[in-house]
Amino acid sequence: MTVPLDYDRPSDGTTELALARFRATDTSHRIGTVFVNPGGPGGSGVELVVDGFGEFLGTQLDGRFDVVGFDPRGVGASDPLHCFDSEEELGEYFAGQPVFPYRKDQYRPYFSTYAGLARECLDDRQKIAAHMNTADVARDLDLLRRAVGDRRLTYLGFSYGSYLGNTYANLFPNNVRALVIDGVLDPRLWSSGWQIKSDRVATQEEFDEFLRLCDVARTECAFWTPGGSAKRWERLARSLERDPLELPDGTQYTYDFLISDAVGAMYAPESWGGPEGAAAFFDFLADAALGSDAAAAAAVRARTALIDKLTPNSREADYPNGLDAYYGNQCADTQYPKAFASWLAIDRYARAGSRFGPLWWWGNAGCANWPVNADRYTGPWTARTSSPVLVVGNYFDGVTDYAGAVASDRLLRNSRLLSYAGWGHTAYGRNQCVTEHVDTYLLTQTLPPRGKVCPANPNPFLTTATQARQRTTPLVGLPPTWTATPSGPR
């Protein structure tokens, strides 16, 4: 679909959006179209629908909706922003940089490299770069709603997709039929550049649950020892902070890799247990750090299996532009400090929260020299929508914490909070109770009872849990080790 490049000057040019549709199967009882967004920014709605979620959601909704995913402007197949001519050139640009800096000699080179991204990405050849921001994506979404003939929008957004949903609700409050946001960012933190207030503690809170559940499962969790998994994790982390581990495939496995791999595992509790799960991988690493060659070889195999399991597919003609699109949108939306000293100061704040805080903070350094977009939306976030917004939050979501869902529910004047007392990033398709309530709301606009909390799934490390039905929604926005890109979108 063709949309204006600049909504302030709609006659000055257009850009094209790529879409994918899974058609309603019960056409005699068709309600309309449900639009979906997988997160990011930089996640592909086309891939989400084509890779199975379109059919899954369409079936869940009794075949009464078309399911449509779109690549937001600058993303995937929608006039994609490319900061480099090839994936090889991208790799050369970041060569030698850690996932995030943690040694004194790393901070300045890392910051200089990332802060230089604006120079690589913003040029006159790519007009889309000056017109990427969430507000314009929301305006595109409203044109899509009109194009399919729906009087009001039906929408399901995950992770960063919650920020898009919040933005739409506040820009077009009278155009909402049913709007679900799952894995919710506090829009005040995201838009102000202070998401680190959540990130510095959120991942640690879920990782503490990972360790607690491991201890509860005892021998069914590969990482468990009688001394406790938390102590074993701390020994492993301190060991890698001092010295990298040489793996048989030639990888220098460093501390930043460990933290990144742990963050990646927090997206999907379904990946925690089993012989090739996250706990087994950390078990092999811990033994390899003590000198076991067999454990080092097993760690390579386990890590490869995890990466294969958690990496999304890509159909882009050039190279996957998730990194380029992440910065193109995020930096346009959010003002970050420019001075290196300010980044160091907030790094200290991030590290005081947890080991995971710096990974999330330094990934934003690409925005240091990137100008914010004049068309961005920064609030207010308190609109009363024509129909209630359903806000879904997990108690232990290490990527978008529960506090973000609570904040959004309190800000919106017509909303309902649905809580999930479990783990992982987002809940729809992961927990049957949540899934059923969301399906009912999308179909009939019937909200769950006020204060509804869906019970947690079984302990992911226990045998009965590993035999349960696996999550059916594709995983998106995974952090750097999984995607082989230097930054972690939502």
Side-chain angles (χ1 to χ4, degrees):
M1 179 172 166
T2 300
V3 297
L5 184 65
D6 186 343
Y7 280 91
D8 294 327
R9 289 177 288 276
S11 62
D12 282 2
T14 60
T15 186
E16 290 189 344
L17 304 180
L19 302 97
R21 173 172 56 190
F22 184 83
R23 292 184 180 274
T25 54
D26 187 355
T27 54
S28 60
H29 298 95
R30 182 181 177 276
I31 296 172
T33 296
V34 55
F35 291 91
V36 295
N37 180 276
S44 169
V46 169
E47 290 178 8
L48 181 71
V49 168
V50 172
D51 285 345
F53 185 68
E55 182 176 5
F56 169 75
L57 182 60
T59 302
Q60 290 291 120
L61 301 181
D62 299 334
R64 299 183 66 189
F65 283 92
D66 289 347
V67 180
V68 171
F70 69 103
D71 287 356
R73 50 176 58 210
V75 175
S78 293
D79 195 1
L81 173 67
H82 280 114
C83 302
F84 305 95
D85 291 332
S86 66
E87 197 163 13
E88 290 73 24
E89 188 176 309
L90 181 151
E92 290 172 2
Y93 182 83
F94 290 105
Q97 297 304 320
V99 178
F100 65 93
Y102 62 96
R103 297 195 321 254
K104 287 183 178 180
D105 63 319
Q106 295 174 333
Y107 287 97
R108 175 64 79 173
Y110 183 98
F111 179 77
S112 296
T113 298
Y114 274 76
L117 267 179
R119 181 178 61 252
E120 303 293 331
C121 302
L122 302 177
D123 60 50
D124 295 336
R125 294 176 300 166
Q126 299 188 92
K127 292 183 179 180
I128 194 65
H131 301 283
M132 293 177 68
N133 63 88
T134 301
D136 278 350
V137 176
R139 295 178 182 108
D140 293 343
L141 180 56
D142 199 55
L143 287 186
L144 293 174
R145 172 196 63 79
R146 290 164 54 186
V148 299
D150 285 1
R151 190 167 66 89
R152 290 178 173 168
L153 179 75
T154 303
Y155 174 82
L156 173 58
F158 300 101
S159 196
Y160 159 80
S162 73
Y163 187 70
L164 173 57
N166 246 319
T167 302
Y168 184 93
N170 283 276
L171 287 177
F172 303 100
N174 296 323
N175 294 355
V176 173
R177 176 195 168 270
L179 193 151
V180 183
I181 49 178
D182 181 6
V184 184
L185 293 159
D186 183 333
R188 300 167 303 179
L189 296 182
W190 187 260
S191 61
S192 66
W194 279 102
Q195 178 63 26
I196 190 60
K197 289 183 177 180
S198 165
D199 293 339
R200 67 194 289 267
V201 295
T203 308
Q204 186 65 57
E205 289 172 353
E206 187 182 0
F207 196 75
D208 286 344
E209 283 291 291
F210 171 91
L211 298 171
R212 182 187 68 81
L213 292 165
C214 182
D215 286 345
V216 169
R218 295 176 68 84
T219 56
E220 296 230 37
C221 172
F223 194 65
W224 176 77
T225 63
S229 57
K231 290 182 179 178
R232 192 182 188 203
W233 165 259
E234 191 62 22
R235 286 194 300 270
L236 174 60
R238 288 178 178 175
S239 171
L240 290 174
E241 272 185 307
R242 292 190 303 268
D243 299 297
L245 183 64
E246 180 78 37
L247 295 180
D249 64 351
T251 300
Q252 285 279 321
Y253 194 85
T254 50
Y255 172 73
D256 54 315
F257 275 30
L258 175 70
I259 296 303
S260 179
D261 284 348
V263 170
M266 294 304 98
Y267 280 72
E270 300 81 8
S271 73
W272 292 0
E276 293 183 332
F281 171 57
F282 295 142
D283 174 51
F284 297 141
L285 278 180
D287 287 348
L290 295 176
S292 170
D293 292 339
V300 172
R301 293 192 295 272
R303 189 166 188 259
T304 300
L306 281 169
I307 291 172
D308 289 345
K309 185 185 300 183
L310 297 175
T311 300
N313 294 323
S314 176
R315 294 177 174 81
E316 293 177 52
D318 297 318
Y319 66 85
N321 84 322
L323 177 139
D324 318 58
Y326 173 81
Y327 288 114
N329 188 289
Q330 162 69 341
C331 302
D333 276 348
T334 306
Q335 182 72 67
Y336 285 98
K338 294 182 179 299
F340 177 56
S342 299
W343 286 85
L344 287 177
I346 299 176
D347 171 72
R348 291 191 290 271
Y349 172 73
R351 280 188 284 118
S354 72
R355 288 185 178 275
F356 302 105
L359 177 145
W360 291 111
W361 172 240
W362 284 102
N364 298 311
C367 297
N369 292 324
W370 202 301
V372 294
N373 193 290
D375 293 326
R376 67 182 177 139
Y377 183 78
T378 59
W381 303 99
T382 55
R384 178 178 292 277
T385 49
S386 49
S387 296
V389 173
L390 182 57
V391 182
V392 182
N394 296 9
Y395 280 0
F396 301 102
D397 184 332
V399 183
T400 53
D401 67 0
Y402 183 65
V406 172
S408 288
D409 178 56
R410 289 176 177 171
L411 288 166
L412 291 164
R413 296 180 183 178
N414 187 16
S415 63
R416 179 66 52 84
L417 177 63
L418 173 62
S419 302
Y420 168 52
W423 317 276
H425 183 40
T426 72
Y428 184 79
R430 168 164 284 129
N431 175 264
Q432 183 176 354
C433 167
V434 169
T435 303
E436 289 175 353
H437 280 295
V438 170
D439 292 342
T440 298
Y441 166 74
L442 290 173
L443 279 165
T444 68
Q445 299 175 277
T446 302
L447 293 166
R450 193 174 300 277
K452 175 65 179 179
V453 179
C454 289
N457 291 345
N459 185 328
F461 295 112
L462 297 178
T463 303
T464 53
T466 59
Q467 294 172 344
R469 179 173 66 93
Q470 294 294 296
R471 179 179 170 91
T472 47
T473 53
L475 294 156
V476 295
L478 294 167
T481 300
W482 308 118
T483 59
T485 59
S487 178
R490 308 283 158 175

